[in-house]
Amino acid sequence: MTQIPRAALILGLAGVLPFALPILALVLGLASPFGIPWQAVQILYGLTILAFMSGCLWGFAAKVEDSTGYALSTLPALYGFFVLVLVMPISSTATTVLFAFGFPALLLLDLRAARLGQSPMWWNPLRVLLTSLVTVCLLVGAIV
């Protein structure tokens, strides 16, 4: 297995902070300075990351002109968007849980790209780590 590049690991872990810090703030009883609840901070950042990861998957598909990969790469962003507009008005907790399920589903698409040789060798170890952390943060955020 190829070692995860240091910059990718550090920046990937830094990208988990907007999922983790709201939990710490909630536990400490700190109000959100953003004018929206901490759970909404996690949700909006989750949508951002799902869209970002859709772009990564699109790039992997473009590497080999994988038409199925192009189609699959749109799913994380669309999933996040539809969960946000259809579920968020009803329940932010349900939205957070659904986002928590979205990241392991996204990991399946990462695994597909790796299986087809589209992603670097270090991609899956990084994605498994980050997906695990993000999923736990979102689930904890849903119950705190």
Side-chain angles (χ1 to χ4, degrees):
M1 175 179 15
T2 305
Q3 185 174 356
I4 300 169
R6 183 174 170 85
L9 180 60
I10 290 169
L11 292 169
L13 290 171
V16 175
L17 289 176
F19 290 109
L21 292 178
I23 296 167
L24 179 62
L26 285 167
V27 168
L28 296 175
L30 302 175
S32 170
F34 306 113
I36 59 174
W38 283 115
Q39 199 172 54
V41 171
Q42 280 190 317
I43 292 166
L44 292 172
Y45 187 66
L47 179 62
T48 302
I49 297 303
L50 287 172
F52 172 80
M53 293 307 301
S54 280
C56 292
L57 292 168
W58 182 279
F60 292 154
K63 182 178 174 183
V64 295
E65 292 294 326
D66 175 11
S67 57
T68 301
Y70 287 139
L72 292 173
S73 75
T74 65
L75 295 179
L78 290 172
Y79 175 82
F81 171 78
F82 283 111
V83 168
L84 186 72
V85 299
L86 297 175
V87 181
M88 182 73 170
I90 300 166
S91 169
S92 59
T93 298
T95 302
T96 305
V97 170
L98 289 172
F99 269 54
F101 292 143
F103 281 90
L106 166 63
L107 181 60
L108 296 176
L109 298 177
D110 285 312
L111 295 174
R112 177 192 181 273
R115 189 177 67 253
L116 296 175
Q118 297 173 351
S119 59
M121 296 295 293
W122 54 265
W123 186 259
N124 280 354
L126 177 64
R127 295 295 304 129
V128 168
L129 171 65
L130 298 178
T131 298
S132 300
L133 294 171
V134 166
T135 301
V136 168
C137 287
L138 286 167
L139 290 174
V140 171
I143 60 173
V144 174

